[in-house]
Amino acid sequence: MNLENNYYILLDEQKVNMSGMFHIQLRSDCPVYEGHFPDCAVAPGAFNMQLVKECAERIVNYTLKVKTIHTCRMIKPILPKDTTELYVVVNLTMKEGGYDCYALIEDKNHKYMEYKGEMLVG
Amino acid sequence: MIDDNIISFIPQRPPIVMVDKIITVVGDDGAKCSLVITSDNIFLESTGELSVAGLVEHIAQSASALFGYNAKMAGETYVPLAYIGEVKKLRCYRQPLVGEELITTVTIGATAGDVTLLSAQVRVGQQLITESLMKIGIVSHD
């Protein structure tokens, strides 16, 4: 599933060279919350990893494949009842066959996820 | 094969159930679980491949199924809520396709407080397609 417009709505994007800041709004009516979890909606960490990939693809304008995740720390749970707007900050560094990717998901008060990995040209 | 509905061992519900069966459990030390990738899987990409994020969720839910199974065997009436704390050293050699069956081994390592370190290998047939370390947090309450 493409997460854009299903899990989140892109409100704004600012791209400079191989970096980007994406202002998004989580959709609290996303069906994933029926199962994650039935009594307490929590944004799936795996969805947020996919969100980073989709933002990285917006920077380069083509499909990327995740090859390696060096580390992805879930710093703070994202509860859609409390947090709806987020910034996804992505920095790519070109390397042979793809990119090193460093990303943060944050808002003005908190950091929620930090991601370091490699993505290949799809 | 553990002869029970997987839903009784994990807190996730459709559309984000990412494990079908527990194949074997080795006490508290690990488990082998499976998932057949269907065309309605929520983690499918437009290429027809399961995303790496989907593989991460599958690994986490395989661990969650182990924790849930052991809680049930201990007589608990609830299954623990397990969440991804950190993914480390993940390498994806290829993304699986619709119709393929993932066979995943999770091996439990050190535990500190509510956080457990595990290693995981995901295979299709004999082919290793993904391996990773993961920190899983566990919330044990009704």
Side-chain angles (χ1 to χ4, degrees):
Chain A
M1 179 174 78
N2 192 336
L3 297 187
E4 186 178 2
N5 297 324
N6 290 303
Y7 177 62
Y8 70 92
I9 296 167
L10 181 63
L11 301 176
D12 187 35
E13 65 179 5
Q14 297 174 37
K15 296 186 285 189
V16 178
N17 296 325
M18 289 288 104
S19 298
M21 178 181 284
F22 303 86
H23 184 195
I24 65 156
Q25 182 173 40
L26 293 178
R27 292 191 58 163
S28 60
D29 60 346
C30 178
V32 75
Y33 296 119
E34 295 171 17
H36 199 277
F37 296 92
D39 298 325
C40 175
V42 180
F47 267 36
N48 294 329
M49 297 167 73
Q50 186 72 2
L51 166 61
V52 165
K53 176 178 177 281
E54 289 187 11
C55 289
E57 289 174 336
R58 294 186 74 89
I59 294 173
V60 297
N61 287 317
Y62 45 75
T63 302
L64 297 172
K65 283 184 174 294
V66 175
K67 177 187 178 190
T68 303
I69 298 172
H70 301 305
T71 179
C72 179
R73 286 195 305 134
M74 309 299 171
I75 299 166
K76 182 178 173 61
I78 300 173
L79 308 180
K81 70 179 177 62
D82 298 331
T83 304
T84 55
E85 292 191 22
L86 294 165
Y87 292 91
V88 184
V89 181
V90 180
N91 292 297
L92 301 176
T93 304
M94 195 176 291
K95 60 187 294 184
E96 186 176 347
Y99 302 88
D100 284 326
C101 175
Y102 176 78
L104 281 173
I105 298 178
E106 61 186 4
D107 63 16
K108 62 184 178 186
N109 296 317
H110 302 288
K111 288 181 172 32
Y112 296 95
M113 191 182 91
E114 182 181 35
Y115 180 107
K116 297 176 187 172
E118 292 175 79
M119 296 182 188
L120 301 182
V121 176
Chain B
M1 189 80 68
I2 307 300
D3 187 18
D4 207 339
N5 187 341
I6 194 68
I7 289 294
S8 66
F9 299 128
I10 61 174
Q12 291 85 3
R13 295 291 179 269
I16 193 171
V17 172
M18 288 295 290
V19 59
D20 288 339
K21 295 173 187 169
I22 303 174
I23 299 169
T24 56
V25 169
V26 185
D28 293 333
D29 297 332
K32 186 179 286 188
C33 297
S34 67
L35 172 72
V36 175
I37 300 166
T38 55
S39 60
D40 61 349
N41 189 293
I42 198 166
F43 284 97
L44 272 193
E45 297 190 314
S46 58
T47 56
E49 297 168 306
L50 189 75
S51 67
V52 172
L55 288 162
V56 167
E57 184 67 24
H58 167 64
I59 291 169
Q61 291 192 23
S62 295
S64 185
L66 169 63
F67 301 142
Y69 175 82
N70 284 335
K72 292 276 186 176
M73 292 303 103
E76 303 289 357
T77 56
Y78 61 85
V79 295
L81 193 158
Y83 60 91
I84 300 169
E86 185 175 5
V87 177
K88 295 182 73 171
K89 297 182 179 178
L90 180 144
R91 292 187 65 83
C92 180
Y93 305 109
R94 81 165 174 90
Q95 294 173 232
L97 299 163
V98 170
E100 291 189 314
E101 183 178 31
L102 309 182
I103 303 291
T104 297
T105 303
V106 291
T107 304
I108 302 300
T111 296
D114 296 331
V115 178
T116 294
L117 179 66
L118 63 86
S119 64
Q121 294 83 37
V122 183
R123 289 181 168 80
V124 173
Q126 299 299 312
Q127 183 186 24
L128 178 66
I129 62 164
T130 298
E131 55 188 337
S132 182
L133 302 178
M134 198 175 288
K135 289 180 182 172
I136 297 284
I138 301 170
V139 180
S140 299
H141 59 74
D142 295 283

